[in-house]
Amino acid sequence: MEISRRLLGKMAAALAGATMLLPAAAGAQDKPAPFDNPGDVEIALVRYLSTGDFFQAYLSGVEKQAEALGVNLRVLDSRQDAALQADMVDQAIALGVDGIIIQHGLTESMKEAAQRAVDAGIKVVAFDVNVENEAIPQIEQSDRDLARLALEQAIADNGEAWTAGYVYVAGIAPLDRRDETWREFKEKYPGIEEVAQFGTLDNPIANSVANQARSVVTANPDIQVMFAPYDEFAKGVKIAVDEAGLSDSIKIYSADVSTADISAMREPGSAWVATAATNPAVVGEVSVRALAMLLAGEEPGASVIVPPTLITQQALNDGDIKNMDDLSAKMPQFAHADVAVPDWMPLPERD
Amino acid sequence: MGDNAIFRIAGLTKAFGPNAVLRGVGLDLRAGEVTVLMGANGAGKSTLVKVMSGVHRADRGMMMLGDKPFSPATPAEAMRAGVVTVHQNINDGVVGALDVASNLVLDRLNGAGSGFFFNPRKVRREAREVAERMGLGIDLSAEVTDLPLADRQMVAIARAMAHEPQVMILDEPTSSLSSNEAERLFALIERLRARGVAILYISHRMSDIRRLADRIVSLRDGAIVGQFDEKPLDYEGAVNAMLGQNLGLHSIDARAAGAPVFSVRDLRIAPGAKPLSMELGAGEVVAVTGLVGVGKTRLAETLFGIHTPLAGSMRLDGRAYAPKTPASAVRDGVFLVAKDRASTGIVPEFNIYENMSLPFLPRFSNMSVTRRRAERQTAREQIADLKIVCRSERDDLATLSGGNQQKVTVARWLTQPSRLLILDEPFQGVDIAARHDIAAKLRESAGDRATLVFLTELDEALETADRILVMSENTIVGEHRNADVDMDRLLAEVAGQRLEPAGSV
Amino acid sequence: MDSRTADKTPVETPAEALAQPKDGRSLRELAIRYGFLSLLVGLIVFFSLATRGFTSPQAAVFILQSVSITGILALGVTATLVVGGFDLSIGSIATSSMMAAAYVMVVLEQNALVAVLVCLAIGALVGLINGLIICYMRVPDLLATLGMMFLLIGLQRIPTEGRSIATGMTLPDGSTAEGTFSQAFLALGRHRFDLFIENLVPASVVVLIVLAILIWFFLEYTRFGRMMYAVGSNARAAEFAGAPVKAYRIWAYVISGVFASIGGILLAARLGRGDIASGNNLLLDAVAAALIGFAVLGAAKPNAFGTAIGALFVGVLLQGLTMMNVPYYTQDFVKGAVLVIALIFTFALLGRNAR
């Protein structure tokens, strides 16, 4: 907490220097209220999940967009404690913030807390949690689109008929949504034959999935495609495929991306050929922008969808992309989403 | 206060399996009197207490409380009828996490008719009544865990008094108290006596007995062997009765000591104890006897480096000897066969040879790899020497009888030569045959080492040792050569007579 | 074979065991002694018939590989079980050491040897601290190691602010990590030795087998191992026999910590990056293997051979079930069932001994 605050301070200083030169900052008086005086605006990010690269990146997106707007950001992290998360919303209400971003959580525990915030006149947006409230726009990275992009690439690469192994754990909302798309594809393309389904969330997840995948590929050597719509799953499958010496005969399609994933995909002869991903930092930025629109009295829409990007091994190699920064730099559609961007909205500086 | 007994026991027997523990006990307790029950270990004291307090049921015989038959099925029933017991282990009598007030009325909180809700004010009020009646000068809001042992004991007794008992049994209540603390307890007991309670007081401490006893009853081998109620009380007679009449029957060929091996000078082993000195020679077996709780185990463990003496010095083979740990004592050649083999001796998951080689594994290993052949060879020799009954040296210790387990723990320390071999109650829970085997082996192997055996039972000392030292109140009070023992003087010393001349009370 | 338990009844053949009428428990004893091994053989036969590809050298090797990391952790925790303790921190020691290896190579740009040494040092240090807290601060073992577990789960996130470590990652100060996992280090997870078939046995399996033999020999055949058993069975008796009881306890935690850190090294070598993870599943699987080990050969106590068999048992079961396409939650159920059965085996046996 303290470290990230210090970091925030550093970033603030750096950005303050940079923004002096930016027209968006210079034209602060053109912004609608309350952003004509952004130092008085305070928003809170109430998190349910926080550990892992995705959530770190999401937070950095939130921080950057908040800096660009010049508003104060307060981060409340419940560390997967649903009850605590609800309490933290109440805490934010008590602190008198102007807006709240609810990041993940359980519908049951957050629904009432979100309503209390709305009742208190606070603007609220929710990311990846359905709080069943019309006043609260939903920010979504479209899991269905993620799965669709990856599977369309699989069809493009392998034709309409192949044997597949599928990695899935039921009961995890994003995985369930990705699963719906997988089912649709199996119906649409009857040539896809799923011979094995497996998966586990035992951590380290990649290690546990690798053990399972080893058994699956041994028992089903005819598998051509592994659909692993979560990058930890894909990483585990890749280890197993490498260990079994089957990298040439199996192709892995997944969702999500990280620096480690990029290097795994780019290893010589890697079986991991494509992944579809939304940039979590962009999702973070969009969350703040949608909230800012609400505060300015504009309407971002009931559901704000951040479109995903397809990332192929080919594209990574062609662009010599080594990490997430390269990815943002070389694939602009990944670095920035044209979502929730009214004319007055200042955008974070790109490096 | 009537002369008639308020509690009578007649013909009480109790056996556990084939093992008869009580063989027809008859005992009367009178109102307003303290009856002291004396008995050696295994005499049946605790079984008698358990029958009286409803833990066990007697096999035969009867108990009468007043003019009604008394045969409680549970401790609660005995308590309700008016017979309460304060057990030796103080912490069994109080609940540490609660305050004094709650402890005082704890039984009522459990009893039938007490409400569902806890009313602190009512509890405090009832507790204050109890405390005032008993003259208990303890802060009622203190947590029991913060109290010294004596205060906890008083709380336990005061709580027992809340039942208005007719009979109170106190099982070694002073065993963990200092003499100052004990004095406060005695004042409380005198109050109880004045209120007309019949008290059965079980103790080994002669000073307690002198201070409190109106009568003394001696228990031996499950039967009452002596009752003493004529003033002045015959304390030596009581001890004599408790230890048995067959003293002096075992004659032993008492050997003279060889060259001095081990000496102790002005050693103080406990706060307030008088310093003790002794000298042990090569080849002699010396027994230290005395009642339970006079510091025998403390002395044995001090010589073995478990406790540090408060003052004084020890010399072994002419060199200063001051062990810091058992390991350093063993290195110097001082071995201890500790008391209570179950907790300090045997390793139950090990077999016989693994148990025997335990202290000397470096000598049974080559480059730290154990040499099982050598271990087993040594074990086989010891099994033959000590007549250990087993199938082979690979038997698990748990399969052996108590006597044979004890032989293994003794044999453990005989596999290697020692300078001073100390044995603390080596005959505890051992049948006569095994006892003779162990004693014979000790005498035969005495060689040029010194051997010191701590024994509560006088006849065991008489049949084992060349010389007998008597302990009382953490120091040595007498010495006898086992050839011409003056039994009267010995018994007087055991009873603490020499420290406190008769009549001092 | 575990010669210690075996040599207690040196010539017990089935015929002889049955021919002992005096206690009439021979059949039961036989079941207790060989029951788990027979069950293992039965499972292997069953999976061979029920699935494709179960009976091949490759399958045998990857079952071993799948249990190598938990197996190594289990062998370490066996040492603490032997002295009557317990170590809940092994899972987090393993994941912390994985993070440390990644940090040393990727962020500090050091070589494989430095990474391995740092991991081993961390394991030994954590074990030492555990031991000191338990022996000198008198904190009960479960609580001390539970605390250490949480501490390490948090600690491993601090240097990278909760990010996983991979080449090219952005560091907290905004720069990019340029180091890579060295090939020598990755070989620990990926190199395969030839054994009759080319490239058959992975390095991690070799490490598992070597460590299993080492700890087995140490516990069964050296005086230190014997004293550790004595400490676990009756600490006071061991102390009265002149053993430095606290030192043995502390050493047991050091062994456990070092083994866990070796598991972490192999984990890092297999994954090729530093993953944030609590390691709780590693802990649970390792403890399950060690407890199942109690039942092997009727030992009724922690023992290295049993632990190795226990780990193998879990591996065979899970890989076989995965091959049969059984969903993961069923596997947890089966794992639990095996553990319960093993514990019943053990404690039925203990009841017999306590007679």
Side-chain angles (χ1 to χ4, degrees):
Chain A
M1 198 64 169
E2 203 193 347
I3 293 175
S4 66
R5 216 176 261 156
R6 202 182 303 145
L7 178 74
L8 200 67
K10 249 189 257 171
M11 286 169 71
L15 277 163
T19 45
M20 291 291 277
L21 308 168
L22 284 176
Q29 58 269 41
D30 303 339
K31 290 184 218 159
F35 297 101
D36 48 355
N37 199 356
D40 291 345
V41 179
E42 183 163 33
I43 62 174
L45 170 65
V46 182
R47 322 184 76 189
Y48 181 63
L49 298 170
S50 55
T51 53
D53 293 348
F54 182 93
F55 305 103
Q56 283 286 339
Y58 176 86
L59 177 63
S60 77
V62 170
E63 285 169 346
K64 279 185 183 164
Q65 183 66 55
E67 283 301 328
L69 275 164
V71 300
N72 295 310
L73 171 68
R74 193 180 277 272
V75 180
L76 302 168
D77 186 353
S78 72
R79 303 178 52 115
Q80 295 190 50
D81 181 336
L84 180 60
Q85 193 189 12
D87 292 346
M88 284 176 160
V89 170
D90 291 329
Q91 200 182 335
I93 297 171
L95 285 169
V97 300
D98 302 288
I100 297 175
I101 302 168
I102 298 172
Q103 179 224 306
H104 293 95
L106 307 180
T107 301
E108 294 78 2
S109 56
M110 290 315 292
K111 188 177 162 185
E112 288 176 14
Q115 184 61 49
R116 282 196 293 277
V118 171
D119 293 347
I122 296 170
K123 302 297 181 190
V124 181
V125 299
F127 168 50
D128 238 2
V129 53
N130 182 6
V131 290
E132 296 174 358
N133 194 321
E134 287 181 0
I136 298 179
Q138 289 283 318
I139 318 294
E140 281 174 34
Q141 59 161 340
S142 171
D143 289 300
R144 292 183 187 80
D145 286 345
L146 281 175
R148 183 179 52 75
L149 277 180
L151 287 170
E152 279 171 1
Q153 183 64 28
I155 299 278
D157 289 351
N158 303 285
E160 295 186 2
W162 26 268
T163 35
Y166 176 44
V167 196
Y168 173 52
V169 171
I172 310 295
L175 295 183
D176 287 344
R177 288 194 291 267
R178 293 167 195 187
D179 182 57
E180 285 170 22
T181 307
W182 170 240
R183 283 169 207 247
E184 284 164 18
F185 264 74
K186 280 194 294 182
E187 259 173 47
K188 191 170 164 194
Y189 301 102
I192 300 176
E193 188 200 355
E194 181 192 304
V195 293
Q197 183 191 321
F198 58 101
T200 171
L201 291 174
D202 282 3
N203 78 53
I205 296 171
N207 187 52
S208 310
V209 170
N211 287 339
Q212 291 189 334
R214 231 6 240 291
S215 301
V216 168
V217 296
T218 309
N220 306 283
D222 51 345
I223 288 179
Q224 295 164 280
V225 168
M226 281 283 194
F227 182 48
Y230 172 35
D231 59 346
E232 292 290 327
F233 290 169
K235 174 75 187 172
V237 172
K238 180 185 176 296
I239 289 170
V241 167
D242 285 350
E243 285 173 357
L246 295 170
S247 305
D248 297 336
S249 54
I250 293 179
K251 288 194 173 75
I252 303 166
Y253 297 86
S254 75
D256 308 329
V257 73
S258 70
T259 296
D261 296 342
I262 292 170
S263 50
M265 287 174 76
R266 289 196 61 197
E267 271 176 31
S270 174
W272 189 351
V273 295
T275 189
T278 314
N279 186 344
V282 171
V283 181
E285 291 171 12
V286 169
S287 303
V288 176
R289 290 206 293 267
L291 183 61
M293 286 174 73
L294 277 183
L295 286 169
E298 297 175 26
E299 189 51 59
S303 133
V304 182
I305 293 175
V306 185
T309 312
L310 179 73
I311 302 160
T312 61
Q313 191 183 69
Q314 184 73 37
L316 293 176
N317 282 332
D318 290 350
D320 191 22
I321 293 168
K322 290 199 196 70
N323 56 32
M324 295 291 276
D325 293 342
D326 290 354
L327 193 64
S328 299
K330 304 219 167 124
M331 297 181 99
Q333 71 273 35
F334 185 74
H336 171 67
D338 237 347
V339 176
V341 192
D343 294 340
W344 56 269
M345 183 69 69
L347 296 175
E349 198 207 353
R350 307 262 161 244
D351 8 66
Chain B
M1 215 197 267
D3 282 319
N4 287 339
I6 192 163
F7 190 85
R8 292 171 192 276
I9 300 174
L12 205 66
T13 66
K14 174 77 190 171
F16 295 101
N19 193 4
V21 179
L22 299 180
R23 311 160 189 261
V25 172
L27 178 66
D28 291 351
L29 300 180
R30 298 176 201 150
E33 265 192 19
V34 175
T35 304
V36 169
L37 179 67
M38 295 183 77
N41 285 325
K45 296 188 306 278
S46 58
T47 306
L48 178 61
V49 168
K50 282 176 179 165
V51 170
M52 289 172 71
S53 60
V55 177
H56 292 322
R57 294 207 98 155
D59 296 336
R60 227 167 292 127
M62 60 165 299
M63 294 187 283
M64 297 281 289
L65 181 62
D67 48 8
K68 286 195 286 282
F70 174 72
S71 62
T74 63
E77 199 181 318
M79 207 190 292
R80 277 196 299 276
V83 177
V84 300
T85 306
V86 177
H87 289 284
Q88 181 174 7
N89 188 345
I90 290 173
N91 292 323
D92 287 354
V94 288
V95 180
L98 296 181
D99 60 9
V100 171
S102 301
N103 263 286
L104 286 175
V105 295
L106 196 62
D107 305 307
R108 292 186 203 178
L109 293 179
N110 277 321
S114 53
F116 178 74
F117 292 103
F118 179 80
N119 180 345
R121 199 170 303 161
K122 182 158 164 269
V123 164
R124 198 61 50 89
R125 195 179 58 238
E126 289 180 5
R128 201 174 305 121
E129 281 169 26
V130 174
E132 274 166 18
R133 206 162 55 225
M134 300 305 304
L136 197 68
I138 298 174
D139 175 13
L140 292 182
S141 58
E143 292 269 313
V144 164
T145 35
D146 298 335
L147 295 181
L149 281 176
D151 285 356
R152 292 190 213 180
Q153 185 72 285
M154 315 257 278
V155 170
I157 293 172
R159 183 174 113 206
M161 278 313 290
H163 293 274
E164 307 275 343
Q166 293 170 278
V167 176
M168 176 171 276
I169 303 165
L170 297 164
D171 189 359
E172 301 205 34
T174 57
S175 57
S176 38
L177 303 185
S178 71
S179 48
N180 267 345
E181 290 175 323
E183 191 49 49
R184 293 183 54 206
L185 182 69
F186 297 151
L188 181 61
I189 292 171
E190 275 168 357
R191 242 168 214 272
L192 298 180
R193 172 159 61 187
R195 291 173 65 89
V197 179
I199 296 165
L200 183 64
Y201 188 93
I202 297 160
S203 180
H204 287 288
R205 284 205 350 198
M206 289 311 296
S207 51
D208 291 15
I209 296 170
R210 283 171 211 286
R211 172 79 167 70
L212 286 174
D214 295 311
R215 303 160 65 214
I216 303 177
V217 175
S218 298
L219 187 71
R220 180 173 177 83
D221 291 337
I224 301 294
V225 291
Q227 299 214 29
F228 304 86
D229 45 10
E230 274 171 40
K231 308 278 165 43
L233 291 172
D234 179 6
Y235 299 108
E236 286 144 62
V239 172
N240 200 355
M242 152 193 153
L243 294 178
Q245 303 299 328
N246 53 349
L247 297 185
L249 292 183
H250 324 278
S251 66
I252 208 164
D253 185 14
R255 294 176 290 205
V261 171
F262 179 74
S263 65
V264 164
R265 192 143 317 281
D266 298 331
L267 201 67
R268 274 180 53 220
I269 59 169
K274 293 200 174 86
L276 65 89
S277 298
M278 62 172 149
E279 188 155 298
L280 307 177
E284 69 168 344
V285 176
V286 178
V288 177
T289 190
L291 297 177
V292 171
V294 295
K296 296 196 301 298
T297 295
R298 181 95 196 169
L299 176 57
E301 293 184 350
T302 303
L303 301 184
F304 191 56
I306 294 167
H307 308 296
T308 313
L310 301 174
S313 63
M314 298 183 267
R315 295 186 83 75
L316 185 67
D317 287 325
R319 283 189 301 274
Y321 166 73
K324 291 261 183 305
T325 60
S328 63
V330 171
R331 267 198 302 279
D332 289 340
V334 175
F335 302 168
L336 169 70
V337 178
K339 187 168 130 173
D340 188 9
R341 65 175 170 270
S343 71
T344 59
I346 63 171
V347 179
E349 288 176 9
F350 278 15
N351 60 31
I352 295 176
Y353 77 77
E354 289 167 333
N355 262 290
M356 281 194 190
S357 61
L358 195 64
F360 305 110
L361 268 180
R363 284 178 219 188
F364 286 108
S365 4
N366 197 351
M367 314 259 292
S368 293
V369 177
T370 51
R371 294 184 294 137
R372 293 179 187 215
R373 195 180 299 248
E375 288 179 69
R376 287 166 59 178
Q377 177 60 36
T378 307
R380 275 198 296 271
E381 286 162 15
Q382 294 292 337
I383 287 170
D385 267 18
L386 273 161
K387 306 191 187 85
I388 297 174
V389 181
C390 59
R391 281 186 305 177
S392 82
E393 70 277 9
R394 288 179 303 229
D395 283 4
D396 274 352
L397 221 61
T399 65
L400 301 186
S401 72
N404 284 304
Q405 289 186 358
Q406 185 66 34
K407 284 180 177 177
V408 172
T409 52
V410 173
R412 170 187 294 170
W413 296 103
L414 294 175
T415 63
Q416 300 294 323
S418 53
R419 297 305 300 142
L420 169 63
L421 179 64
I422 308 163
L423 302 96
D424 192 6
E425 300 293 349
F427 305 135
Q428 206 177 51
V430 165
D431 60 71
I432 291 177
R435 186 165 106 195
H436 283 276
D437 290 340
I438 294 173
K441 175 74 182 171
L442 282 182
R443 294 187 62 76
E444 171 209 314
S445 68
D448 60 352
R449 67 154 193 256
T451 308
L452 193 59
V453 193
F454 290 82
L455 294 165
T456 303
E457 300 282 332
L458 200 47
D459 45 353
E460 290 174 0
L462 288 165
E463 70 177 37
T464 312
D466 301 308
R467 200 147 58 96
I468 296 173
L469 304 175
V470 182
M471 271 190 90
S472 180
E473 316 254 319
N474 290 312
T475 192
I476 290 175
V477 295
E479 178 179 352
H480 304 263
R481 202 174 126 75
N482 193 4
D484 42 9
V485 180
D486 175 353
M487 286 308 290
D488 291 341
R489 184 165 71 90
L490 180 63
L491 284 170
E493 286 163 359
V494 170
Q497 203 80 338
R498 298 270 287 211
L499 280 177
E500 295 171 296
S504 75
V505 179
Chain C
M1 291 289 283
D2 180 348
S3 79
R4 173 223 286 278
T5 35
D7 76 11
K8 277 178 190 160
T9 42
V11 286
E12 192 179 77
T13 63
E16 262 190 61
L18 288 171
Q20 290 176 343
K22 60 182 171 195
D23 59 357
R25 292 163 190 272
S26 320
L27 253 182
R28 193 180 140 197
E29 244 163 49
L30 210 63
I32 285 168
R33 183 169 291 266
Y34 298 110
F36 242 82
L37 290 178
S38 330
L39 209 56
L40 180 60
V41 173
L43 269 180
I44 292 172
V45 172
F46 170 75
F47 284 129
S48 308
L49 298 176
T51 64
R52 279 187 291 165
F54 192 85
T55 40
S56 68
Q58 285 85 355
V61 162
F62 91 66
I63 288 172
L64 281 173
Q65 186 177 16
S66 74
V67 298
S68 59
I69 291 163
T70 47
I72 288 167
L73 263 61
L75 290 168
V77 84
T78 302
T80 59
L81 290 171
V82 164
V83 295
F86 206 90
D87 192 348
L88 288 175
S89 64
I90 49 169
S92 56
I93 293 177
T95 51
S96 299
S97 121
M98 166 173 68
M99 289 297 281
Y103 195 84
V104 166
M105 285 184 291
V106 173
V107 180
L108 305 180
E109 301 180 28
Q110 299 292 320
N111 62 25
L113 184 66
V114 175
V116 168
L117 291 179
V118 166
C119 290
L120 294 178
I122 287 174
L125 181 69
V126 174
L128 183 68
I129 294 172
N130 275 337
L132 291 174
I133 292 175
I134 290 162
C135 290
Y136 289 99
M137 313 293 162
R138 294 159 187 244
V139 180
D141 45 18
L142 282 174
L143 308 184
T145 54
L146 181 75
M148 186 55 78
M149 177 188 100
F150 282 118
L151 190 151
L152 289 175
I153 290 174
L155 181 64
Q156 58 177 283
R157 291 158 203 246
I158 290 177
T160 60
E161 297 189 341
R163 294 179 183 85
S164 293
I165 300 175
T167 303
M169 67 176 289
T170 310
L171 296 173
D173 63 4
S175 66
T176 303
E178 295 297 341
T180 53
F181 270 66
S182 84
Q183 286 308 312
F185 190 89
L186 291 174
L188 289 171
R190 300 177 185 181
H191 182 73
R192 286 154 180 274
F193 296 97
D194 301 343
L195 183 81
F196 302 117
I197 301 172
E198 243 177 279
N199 291 338
L200 179 66
V201 187
S204 59
V205 173
V206 175
V207 173
L208 170 70
I209 291 171
V210 167
L211 288 179
I213 291 172
L214 268 181
I215 194 80
W216 168 75
F217 185 82
F218 175 79
L219 287 176
E220 301 294 328
Y221 287 101
T222 69
R223 61 190 175 97
F224 307 111
R226 179 82 67 78
M227 289 314 298
M228 282 169 68
Y229 272 111
V231 167
S233 181
N234 187 343
R236 261 174 80 75
E239 190 191 347
F240 276 56
V245 169
K246 283 178 176 160
Y248 279 111
R249 286 229 166 94
I250 292 171
W251 273 109
Y253 286 97
V254 172
I255 291 173
S256 169
V258 169
F259 272 51
S261 67
I262 294 173
I265 291 169
L266 295 180
L267 200 57
R270 190 179 196 199
L271 298 181
R273 63 179 198 208
D275 255 343
I276 290 291
S278 68
N280 285 349
N281 297 102
L282 293 175
L283 164 71
L284 295 179
D285 286 358
V287 170
L291 293 180
I292 290 170
F294 281 32
V296 175
L297 284 177
K301 63 180 180 187
N303 67 97
F305 177 74
T307 299
I309 295 293
L312 190 62
F313 197 98
V314 173
V316 166
L317 203 62
L318 295 192
Q319 301 311 320
L321 290 174
T322 307
M323 282 183 161
M324 292 179 69
N325 232 348
V326 173
Y328 73 100
Y329 43 85
T330 323
Q331 300 188 5
D332 277 347
F333 170 79
V334 172
K335 213 190 290 178
V338 169
L339 183 55
V340 169
I341 292 169
L343 291 175
I344 291 171
F345 251 73
T346 301
F347 288 96
L349 201 77
L350 279 180
R352 183 186 60 108
N353 279 349
R355 167 173 51 110

